[in-house]
Amino acid sequence: MSGLVLPFGAHRPQIADDAFIAPNATVIGDTVIGARSSIWFGCTLRGDVNSIRVGSETNIQDGTVVHVTRAKFGTVIGSGVTIGHMALIHGCTLEDGCFVGMQATVMDGCVIESGGMLAAGALLTPGKRVRRGELWAGRPAKLMRNLEEPEIRNIPDTASHYARLADSYRAQLAGR
C-alpha cells in the first residue's frame, strides 16, 4: 500500500494487502478496497459523509474522483470494474464487470449493471440505469446501441490486465 490514506471521523480506510494505491492517490474515511484492486496516480476516493466500497480486481485509473452523497447514496463499485482516466463517480452503483470510459461522469443514484458500458466523456444523469449489454454515450448519456458479445467479454480482460499491471507496479515500488 502507498498513497495518502487518511481517517475521517471514526472511519479509517480498509485496504487489502495486495491492492495497489499509487503514491499520489488519496483514500479517505469510510472506504474499503478489495484484493488486487488498483487506485492509480492522482485519484481521490473520499468516503467522508458516506461509504465507498470497491470490490476485487477493480481498476480506478489516473485522475478519477470517487465521492458520495451525504445521507443518501454511498458509492458501491463491484469487482472486475474498469473506470477510465479522469472519470467522476458520485453516489452510484457500478456492478461487477462493468466499464466506465475516460472522463465519464456517473451521478447520484445511477446504476451500471454487469456487462454495461458508459462511453468516454459521457454524462450519466441522476437515477439512470445502464443495463447489461448496453452502451450509453453523450452528454446527457442515452442508449446508443447494444454491445456485441466480444465487447462484453473484453471487459473482464481489461480488468485482469490492470490487476497484473498493478502487481508489477507494487513489486517495483517495493524494491525502491
Side-chain angles (χ1 to χ4, degrees), residues 3 6 17 24 39 73 78 83 99 108 114 122 132 168 173:
L6 299 172
D17 291 338
N24 67 345
I39 312 302
F73 298 111
I83 300 173
F99 184 96
D108 297 1
S114 298
R132 173 177 167 66
S168 297
L173 290 173

Side-chain angles (χ1 to χ4, degrees), residues 11-86:
H11 298 285
R12 173 169 283 288
Q14 299 173 29
I15 301 170
D17 291 338
D18 60 352
F20 171 70
I21 310 297
N24 67 345
T26 303
V27 180
I28 301 168
D30 190 2
T31 302
V32 176
I33 299 171
R36 293 192 75 216
S37 283
S38 52
I39 312 302
W40 292 91
F41 300 92
C43 289
T44 300
L45 282 70
R46 186 159 57 99
D48 51 4
V49 295
N50 213 321
S51 63
I52 297 172
R53 300 294 180 261
V54 178
S56 61
E57 292 196 13
T58 284
N59 62 94
I60 301 175
Q61 297 174 18
D62 311 63
T64 293
V65 173
V66 179
H67 195 226
V68 296
T69 307
R70 181 175 51 90
K72 194 165 186 181
F73 298 111
T75 296
V76 177
I77 301 170
S79 297
V81 174
T82 292
I83 300 173
H85 310 288
M86 298 178 66

Side-chain angles (χ1 to χ4, degrees), residues 158-175:
T158 302
S160 293
H161 162 75
Y162 267 91
R164 290 188 305 274
L165 185 60
D167 290 342
S168 297
Y169 268 85
R170 195 172 37 261
Q172 184 168 333
L173 290 173

Side-chain angles (χ1 to χ4, degrees), residues 93 95-99 110-118 124 127-136 142-147 152 155:
T93 299
E95 293 182 354
D96 296 347
C98 72
F99 184 96
C110 289
V111 175
I112 301 179
E113 294 181 3
S114 298
M117 184 179 288
L118 184 64
L124 196 62
K128 296 292 190 284
R129 177 178 286 268
V130 176
R131 299 194 188 288
R132 173 177 167 66
E134 292 181 346
L135 169 63
W136 284 49
K142 61 182 179 181
L143 175 62
M144 298 304 286
R145 65 177 176 85
N146 291 321
L147 295 168
I152 296 170
I155 294 171

